[in-house]
């Protein structure tokens, strides 16, 4: 009896024999990491094709001089496009205009967005509706917003001049004036984008424990002291993110100039991205436009790095 049991135990079954000869599957493919990789693959392909591959192609094109009408007839000029950029006064003006636009927009957008967030960070009837109304322009295309404000800024029958005349102020040229065009586009962009900053600041404010403010009130701190010593330090990460993201978007301004001003008057709204578009498609110089695109990327990276470092050092002190 014992011999029979030992023999049965020593002889593996057919299923056990198949399991032994079955190839082992690595742990990664049996884990959730494989599922996550499958979901990330389409995005990774799009990222490689439309970002990294496109960037490599742009760098390559910046070293050549050719026309879109005859791309096969290209000439390698090395850094010639970048040397030309150093002496191009129009490119210098577009860089300056872009920096002024970004600085003016961010300087206004950050305090306005924070003020709106603090004002709407309350549980009252109708607050949710007001938040939605303020945020609504953010989801509207800038092309649509620019077209709408083109009629508002109309020097003849525009809504802005009708309002000014109603309160006794003479009509203004707005986007037809070299001195008023850029401020007019800054105000329009502020109206469209302030809701984005408001939502981010609102999320940061709602993550601050209410017990801290309540304790400060009991200690006799006024509203300004609570804001400066409690709210602002706890919003440092949100503030850095809002400033960097808003600046990045502002440095890529294009639709405002394309729809409303065509870069004028006198180049006062000739943003760098619009200048790239002009040289690439209107003047048929994609090599030179690619060189300006690389300069724009470098400017965005430098400005973002300086902002992040300055704000973090300022708020951590």
């Amino acid at each position: 009896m014992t011999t029979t049991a030992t023999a049965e135990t020593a002889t593996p079954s057919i299923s056990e024999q198949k399991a032994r000869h079955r190839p082992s599957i690595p742990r990664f493919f049996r884990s959730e990491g494989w599922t996550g990789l499958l979901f990330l693959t389409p995005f990774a392909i799009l990222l490689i094709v439309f970002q990294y591959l496109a960037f490599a192609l742009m760098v390559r094109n910046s070293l050549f001089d050719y026309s879109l009408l005859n791309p096969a007839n290209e000439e390698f000029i090395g850094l010639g496009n970048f040397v030309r950029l150093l002496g191009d006064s129009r490119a210098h003006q577009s860089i300056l205009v872009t920096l002024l636009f970004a600085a003016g927009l961010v300087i206004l957008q950050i305090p306005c967005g924070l003020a709106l967030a603090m004002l709407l960070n309350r549980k009252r009837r109708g607050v949710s509706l007001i938040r939605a109304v303020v945020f609504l322009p953010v989801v509207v295309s800038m092309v649509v917003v620019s077209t709408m404000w083109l009629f508002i800024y109309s020097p003849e029958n525009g809504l802005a001049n009708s309002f000014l005349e109603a309160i006794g102020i003479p009509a203004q040229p707005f986007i037809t004036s070299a001195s008023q065009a850029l401020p007019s586009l800054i105000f329009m962009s502020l109206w469209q984008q302030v809701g984005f900053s408001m939502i981010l600041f609102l999320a940061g404010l709602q993550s601050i424990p209410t017990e801290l403010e309540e304790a400060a009130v009991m200690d006799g701190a006024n509203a300004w002291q609570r804001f400066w010593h409690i709210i602002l330090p706890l919003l440092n990460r949100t503030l850095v993110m809002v400033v960097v993201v808003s600046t990045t978007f502002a440095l890529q301004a294009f639709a405002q100039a394309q729809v409303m001003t065509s870069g004028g008057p006198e180049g006062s709204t000739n943003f760098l991205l619009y200048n790239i578009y002009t040289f690439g498609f209107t003047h048929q110089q994609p090599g030179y436009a690619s060189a300006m695109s690389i300069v724009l990327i470098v400017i965005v990276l430098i400005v973002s790095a300086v902002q992040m470092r300055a704000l973090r050092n300022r708020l951590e002190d």
Side-chain angles (χ1 to χ4, degrees):
M1 189 72 178
T2 305
T3 307
T4 305
T6 304
E8 292 178 353
T9 305
T11 304
S13 63
I14 297 176
S15 59
E16 291 177 347
Q17 293 178 2
K18 291 182 178 181
R20 290 179 181 179
H21 293 287
R22 185 181 301 164
S24 60
I25 302 176
R27 178 179 296 179
F28 174 78
F29 294 100
R30 290 186 280 112
S31 65
E32 295 180 357
W34 176 246
T35 305
L37 182 61
L38 288 177
F39 280 106
L40 287 175
T41 299
F43 171 77
I45 294 174
L46 293 176
L47 184 67
I48 293 173
V49 173
F50 292 101
Q51 185 164 339
Y52 296 111
L53 185 60
F55 178 77
L57 184 61
M58 181 180 64
V59 173
R60 182 262 179 197
N61 291 340
S62 67
L63 305 177
F64 289 83
D65 181 22
Y66 65 99
S67 172
L68 288 177
L69 298 177
N70 190 12
N73 189 19
E74 60 182 13
E75 178 185 359
F76 179 78
I77 59 175
L79 299 177
N81 286 320
F82 295 95
V83 175
R84 175 186 172 185
L85 187 60
L86 293 175
D88 189 352
S89 59
R90 179 177 176 179
H92 299 166
Q93 183 190 28
S94 66
I95 294 174
L96 178 61
V97 167
T98 303
L99 293 176
L100 290 175
F101 174 81
L105 180 57
V106 173
I107 289 173
L108 294 175
Q109 183 177 342
I110 299 305
C112 289
L114 181 56
L116 286 171
M118 296 185 66
L119 183 63
L120 299 177
N121 187 28
R122 302 175 183 179
K123 294 182 179 180
R124 291 184 180 180
R125 181 178 299 179
V127 170
S128 299
L129 178 61
I130 298 175
R131 293 175 185 172
V133 171
V134 176
F135 185 75
L136 183 61
V138 179
V139 300
V140 180
S141 171
M142 180 56 77
V143 175
V144 176
V145 172
S146 300
T147 304
M148 180 181 69
W149 279 82
L150 186 62
F151 291 101
I152 294 176
Y153 282 145
S154 176
E156 298 178 357
N157 300 319
L159 183 61
N161 277 328
S162 299
F163 173 76
L164 293 178
E165 291 175 353
I167 61 177
I169 300 178
Q172 301 297 317
F174 293 117
I175 57 176
T176 59
S177 168
S179 59
Q180 295 185 14
L182 187 61
S184 298
L185 296 190
I186 290 175
F187 182 80
M188 180 203 72
S189 301
L190 173 66
W191 175 85
Q192 196 257 349
Q193 298 179 18
V194 70
F196 176 74
S197 300
M198 180 204 70
I199 290 296
L200 294 179
F201 280 128
L202 190 60
L205 288 172
Q206 292 180 350
S207 66
I208 298 177
T210 57
E211 294 81 2
L212 296 177
E213 288 196 66
E214 293 173 356
V217 172
M218 295 182 64
D219 291 338
N222 56 34
W224 172 252
Q225 290 173 334
R226 296 197 303 271
F227 170 77
W228 187 256
H229 296 287
I230 297 177
I231 296 177
L232 192 58
L234 293 177
L235 281 178
N236 56 355
R237 295 182 182 275
T238 304
L239 180 62
V240 171
M241 182 183 68
V242 173
V243 171
V244 173
V245 173
S246 301
T247 304
T248 303
F249 286 165
L251 290 173
Q252 300 177 60
F254 171 75
Q256 300 94 319
Q258 169 70 11
V259 176
M260 302 180 68
T261 62
S262 299
E266 301 176 13
S268 59
T269 60
N270 186 27
F271 301 131
L272 183 54
L273 196 57
Y274 179 77
N275 200 34
I276 292 171
Y277 166 82
T278 302
F279 274 97
F281 296 97
T282 304
H283 300 312
Q284 293 291 309
Q285 299 177 18
Y288 187 50
S290 298
M292 284 192 287
S293 300
I294 294 176
V295 172
L296 175 60
I297 293 174
V298 172
I299 291 175
V300 171
L301 292 176
I302 292 176
V303 172
S304 300
V306 171
Q307 286 180 330
M308 294 179 65
R309 185 176 183 84
L311 287 172
R312 285 179 177 175
N313 293 340
R314 166 75 171 78
L315 294 171
E316 289 175 0
D317 292 341

